[in-house]
Amino acid sequence: MADNMITTKEVKIKIPNDFTSEYIESNLSIMGYDVLKWAITGYDEEYYTLNISVVI
């Protein structure tokens, strides 16, 4: 049995015109992350900065 670890990462996602949690989760999935939870921790004119907990 493989040992899985949980770690945190900071990622950026482009700010959409229509914000939904599904948009965020879909983009994280496309990036290849197995996300346990996420939080928006910052933003600028174009991107949200998210802190994510992922299984590696």
Side-chain angles (χ1 to χ4, degrees), residues 4 32 34 44:
N4 292 331
D34 183 7
D44 60 25

Side-chain angles (χ1 to χ4, degrees), residues 11-29:
V11 297
K12 291 191 174 204
I13 293 180
K14 190 149 183 77
I15 296 174
N17 291 333
D18 185 26
F19 173 78
T20 63
S21 59
E22 288 82 10
Y23 171 82
I24 298 289
E25 291 165 5
S26 172
N27 273 271
L28 293 171
S29 179

Side-chain angles (χ1 to χ4, degrees), residues 27-38:
N27 273 271
L28 293 171
S29 179
I30 290 168
M31 293 175 168
Y33 293 117
D34 183 7
V35 178
L36 297 174
K37 61 183 179 175
W38 57 268

Side-chain angles (χ1 to χ4, degrees), residues 35-53:
V35 178
L36 297 174
K37 61 183 179 175
W38 57 268
I40 297 173
T41 57
Y43 64 95
D44 60 25
E45 293 178 4
E46 294 184 52
Y47 294 93
Y48 287 126
T49 301
L50 284 77
N51 187 285
I52 60 174
S53 295

